[in-house]
Amino acid sequence: MTRLFRPDLPFAPRKLPFFYGWVVVAAGSLGMILSTPGQTVGVSVFTDFLIAALELDRATLSLAYMLGTIISSLFLPYAGRVFDRVGARRMIVGVSLLFGFAIL
């Protein structure tokens, strides 16, 4: 199991003919762009539709969004400790599975 999480799996970046950091920059940028629908800037597009569908006023919708953000932030210290204990690769697999389950 430890071989599965080696830093040079599936390949050794230092053996590539180019600087692998640019691949990391591109992947990180793509990840930020693709996560936009879950962030405030992506949700704000639907504010008027949510107000109409849920029959709320703007202040109540803002309060609900704020409470959701605060409640989710309470889990960050725990998630950080788990991240330190299990590592990035295992954490991303676990979080991806949990998010997928939440979507289902």
Side-chain angles (χ1 to χ4, degrees):
M1 185 69 156
T2 58
R3 287 183 10 192
L4 183 62
F5 295 102
R6 288 189 331 237
D8 61 346
L9 186 75
F11 61 92
R14 66 183 167 274
K15 293 183 180 179
L16 293 174
F18 58 90
F19 179 58
Y20 188 68
W22 292 115
V23 175
V24 174
V25 168
S29 298
L30 183 64
M32 289 176 58
I33 291 168
L34 293 176
S35 69
T36 300
Q39 297 178 21
T40 304
V41 70
V43 174
S44 66
V45 174
F46 303 102
T47 298
D48 293 329
F49 298 107
L50 285 170
I51 289 172
L54 299 174
E55 299 176 358
L56 300 172
D57 59 356
R58 197 167 294 274
T60 306
L61 182 65
S62 296
L63 176 67
Y65 194 80
M66 179 190 71
L67 289 175
T69 302
I70 291 171
I71 290 169
S72 68
S73 73
L74 297 175
F75 292 98
L76 291 177
Y78 173 73
R81 285 192 294 274
V82 173
F83 182 89
D84 289 340
R85 193 169 355 127
V86 302
R89 290 184 181 189
R90 290 181 182 154
M91 186 73 170
I92 203 163
V93 169
V95 169
S96 298
L97 290 173
L98 288 174
F99 280 155
F101 180 72
I103 290 172
L104 287 175

